[in-house]
Amino acid sequence: MKNKGRVTLPTEQNFLKETKELIDKWGADAVRDSDGTELDKGIIELDTKVYKTYFVARGHNDFIKKHLEEMQQLYLMSKFNTATDKTLEVALMDGYYEEQIEPDYRHDPKKWWEVIDRTTGDVVATENWSVNKEDHTVNINNVEPFHEYTVSFLVYMKWDPTHMYNHITNDWGDAPHDIPFDVRQPNSQAYMKDYLKKWVKENPETDVVRFTTFFYHFTLVFNDLAKEKFVDWFGYGSTVSVSVLEAFEKEKGYALRPEDIVDQGYYNTAFRVPSKAYLDYIDFVQAFVAEQAKELVDIVHDAGKEAMMFLGDNWIGTEPYGKYFEKIGLDSVVGSVGDGATLRMIADIPHIKYSEGRFLPYFFPDTFNENNNPVTEANERWLSSRRAMMRNPLDRIGYGGYLHLAYEFPEFVEYIGKVTDEFRDIISHVDGSKPLTKLKVAFVSSWGKLRSWQYFMVSHALWYKQIYTYQGILESLSGLPVDVDFISFDEIKENGVPEDVSVIINAGDAGTAFSGGDHWTDPKLVGNIRKWVHNGGGFIGVGEPSAVSHQGRYFQLADVLGVDKELGFSLSSNKYFTETTTGHFLNRNRTDFDYGESMKNIYATSKDTTILDYSDGEVHLSSSTYGKGRSVYMAGLPFSVENTRLLYKAMMYAANKEDEYTTWHVTNANCEVNVYPEKGWYAIINNSMEQQKTDVYNGEGKALSYTLEPSELRWERI
Amino acid sequence: MKNKGRVTLPTEQNFLKETKELIDKWGADAVRDSDGTELDKGIIELDTKVYKTYFVARGHNDFIKKHLEEMQQLYLMSKFNTATDKTLEVALMDGYYEEQIEPDYRHDPKKWWEVIDRTTGDVVATENWSVNKEDHTVNINNVEPFHEYTVSFLVYMKWDPTHMYNHITNDWGDAPHDIPFDVRQPNSQAYMKDYLKKWVKENPETDVVRFTTFFYHFTLVFNDLAKEKFVDWFGYGSTVSVSVLEAFEKEKGYALRPEDIVDQGYYNTAFRVPSKAYLDYIDFVQAFVAEQAKELVDIVHDAGKEAMMFLGDNWIGTEPYGKYFEKIGLDSVVGSVGDGATLRMIADIPHIKYSEGRFLPYFFPDTFNENNNPVTEANERWLSSRRAMMRNPLDRIGYGGYLHLAYEFPEFVEYIGKVTDEFRDIISHVDGSKPLTKLKVAFVSSWGKLRSWQYFMVSHALWYKQIYTYQGILESLSGLPVDVDFISFDEIKENGVPEDVSVIINAGDAGTAFSGGDHWTDPKLVGNIRKWVHNGGGFIGVGEPSAVSHQGRYFQLADVLGVDKELGFSLSSNKYFTETTTGHFLNRNRTDFDYGESMKNIYATSKDTTILDYSDGEVHLSSSTYGKGRSVYMAGLPFSVENTRLLYKAMMYAANKEDEYTTWHVTNANCEVNVYPEKGWYAIINNSMEQQKTDVYNGEGKALSYTLEPSELRWERI
């Protein structure tokens, strides 16, 4: 008999028969509409839950057009302008998209804007500049020739960025632009609640209100060629307004400067070590968002429906790992899953009844066309996310896009049938129990728990040359038999490393929020970590860990790591330690490591450093001991099955647990084993699309040989 | 008839006949002794000048043993020591060589030493530490557990570093160690003059006193395994003493801290942006050295002899490009020449009657043995330095080592005969006239003129991975038809870029004295350069020019360069400009560039940047315009004939002079042409050891074809 449940399908009008067929084949128990599609009446009468997409702060142009003063705002910075004379004209809109934004002249620029001499960092006195509203320019007097100047100015955002993106991408022509509004403003505030109350009544067939999302879109600004100019999936740019700034000052007792938001043009991206002002600001917004979202969720609940949130688009302020999220009272969060780290980002969300992952590929023509077999991508995505699922399964999975496109690919339909069965099979075996865990690792950065599984991300799931080397750590961790925590520098400063943590990881390029920048000049941070490692903790550094030039060190934990980076200042000190140790636990079975972008000029600081990979005058992999503790340094860790193995071994080694490595262990790096002691199962997975032979060592270290078919998942009794 | 003159030979005892033969074959007119060799009596009677090596502040153990309190001193820093408890013992000599140094307990450690908490940077109060002289330890109380501590302490240097190096390298057994002394001390001060007065009388056959060198050795400290621990050819470490510190305070009105010298353990290497205190200190030492050296030179002159200085060993404080050098009144400077840059370093020295280059290879068994043909190295060295000679010839050349070794290689003897003839031939054609120059380039760094031709050097002529990418610029410049100046950031801040400069170069890794570090936050520096480029100047940046994170830029001259470096903070800003321009003046004939260590994450800041080489998501070569001026960015420039050509073209392009590129121009990059208008000659050189065909364009841009034999130098009438 066919398994059923835990699967959500997109659907569309005039596709009832085929939808029923797919519901059956995939065991779906819920259907949903998409942006721009409507549910077929017939679907509503089936025995499936119905999700309906709901926009809070966009898609209500009739309302907002009467209250344009409540449009969402944004602080922007002009281009850098070099003065060649004693006066300078700055064109505000140079490089910006006039369809998206317009300068805010409603509020006094002299109060809310800032002109900065970027050569000195000084703010230009307001009497030295004036605004020309006709041509959107600022004229600055008494400038210093050959200094650069910028203007930080408030704008209105006239077009919701996601709507704009879809509109431009799909060439929707003269379709009206969704105008986003700020629910902090009085009319919007009242409207959003009244409308939802009305809406829940008018949509009795909807079981689940899928908020897409709440109030504030992540920062997405287009340029004058209508192309993406600035994107930060974590950005609070579009939460700004005069009223939030005024409310902030009232509550926190100090006013923010435009520069606190504009941040030299970096706009406080997640890669910037956050300032106190910025942390205060996002906390303030989060509290407001949670409070307001709760009111909407309450309306949904009062109507007897469930409230689900999409993790994306207007998600700013809702951070599911933040301290206010629980208050919202959501039933569920749904998000896009492309790999293990994004799966865990959804699956690990606390304080909800169930999580749902929208799997890839999307049913769009770019994948579903006659020249492509969508099974390939589906299989790859499933394999990379399944290993994370074995650690913490999602409660539901689903798909998106045009169902009729998927229907045209029978092989795909059949494959997804297997995937959905396998998914339900995992859930039924795991059954809420905790898989065996070898140790607990804490990833330390400026962001701590708030950005769990989101480190090194710029735009959701996009590849960047500067991040893949570090994102590999998260991707590897997502399926490894370890508990993963995320912890901030501030927490370690205050409370030290938590008792239950065996290993901490610090990774990233110097100066970023992930490596830590100036945090590392804080004696409490380095002192607490040193003490903890000295007492037996494990420290793993990747790239430029603990890096800031201070008091003769670049890596502030060079004493713990046994390596530092040569910046040129210490070239005069001979670097004698270059000999590689072979046959070490970490390089015994493998020597062809891949460090991605890698890191130059790393050298061992003493003869006690165990160098495990050295070439071209540089250390790439090493370990060191520090009191009772150990450290491992890696020049980079892009994702691969081999690097996953390396990270796993590095954690076991750093935790002084290499003896436990060979219990519940598979010899073939393409395979993994997970154990569910409460349920008496273990599962061996083949993460590759080829057949694999592997030995599996059980809890007593006894080996059994297995041959696994491509992508196979094998359940065995312990 | 055989040319004669301008050549110096080393010689040795019991080798008279052969020496005469070589004097004849190489046209030598001077002979010299070496460290450890004595001149043969017979030599002295020949018609050649006699140079004699003279040590001022070493090699006088009979004297110094009676005044050990006048031994040379040094500030050293202990290792970093991590406290794990409330007290900490620091072993001062850990990692140091007891034969070389001993802690100075004569002067009160509480006054002259410093204990520093390197985790906070705070100085530990003197009441919290004590010295144990028996086992050379410092005991610190009330320490913060898991902070790192260092002790900066004064030591005596008991062994001259060059003598020590030779002793250890050549295994001289129990030969006594040359004890260096500080001529600032009263007995040493009197002794050095009295002894020289006596010596000049006792050495009537000596025509030239070759000071090897004056008073203070560059910093060279050995470790506990008697291997080099720290070497800085520019280091003032061994100029330190209590008396210089007291004299400094008296003259400058403030006292130096040990940390001003120890500098976090970096010891103010030439790669550190110098502090004001350090600049004051070296200026103070230079003034003293010049004054004292002058007194010795006067004694030599009064005895009717010439005074020559060796550029190396105890040369600290004499800097030939410094402001006090002229006062010394030397007749000559001699230094080791291995390539073009080291040749120019000697040849360009002002205020002397003649310069002399000691050419390589040294007549030592490592090169002169049955398995090696020394002609190969001699030929390579001659070719690389000859191109610099064409710009500014040395007045004399010479050789070093054991003459009998050279004599055993007849092919070598013959080859050097050709070289010495060619050298004299160059001098006779150039005859003191100035070669044609296309433009003047100024290399800007923290050091300016003081370290002319010495940028990026750690230890004289040694290769380091971190420097070759930048040293190539100097090597290329040494033979190019441009005037080369060296200028400091401070000079540009005060006076702007000099009128006669067409192009300035800023190169190096971020934060180094060469790139400039915090200098670039000074509005006067960036303002003056921007203004100058805007008015038509040319700016060439290599590696990380003008790099310091400040006000939204990493390259502070990103506006001039059209490129900046991504540190991770601006990943959210899309980087659209990636298209390469082909057929540009700089990449028209070549696209396979070599950037050495290169530079990651460089991106074009606007569409106006002309990208000339782009791959792997990075700009490697680009140009930009800025007002009437131009800039060129290069990711690195190791030396090669092709890169020399690239630099030359980049300078011509940056100076808006690409039209003048094809006058007096050779088409083959292995060849170069130099023109001597006053004398009516031009010279074409083949810098390779293969035959080369090339077109030569004359002053009217008319081409003539040439075929040059391997290494050929051809003189032609204009």
Side-chain angles (χ1 to χ4, degrees), chain A residues 148 228 553 576 597 600, chain B residues 228 553 576 597 600:
Chain A
E148 289 189 298
E228 199 173 282
R553 301 278 204 199
Y576 283 107
E597 294 296 306
K600 281 195 172 189
Chain B
E228 196 173 283
R553 302 277 206 199
Y576 283 107
E597 294 296 306
K600 280 195 173 190

Side-chain angles (χ1 to χ4, degrees), chain A residues 518-531:
Chain A
D518 285 338
H519 277 291
W520 292 106
T521 61
D522 189 321
K524 290 198 292 292
L525 178 64
V526 292
N528 284 347
I529 293 182
R530 282 184 187 138
K531 183 178 173 184

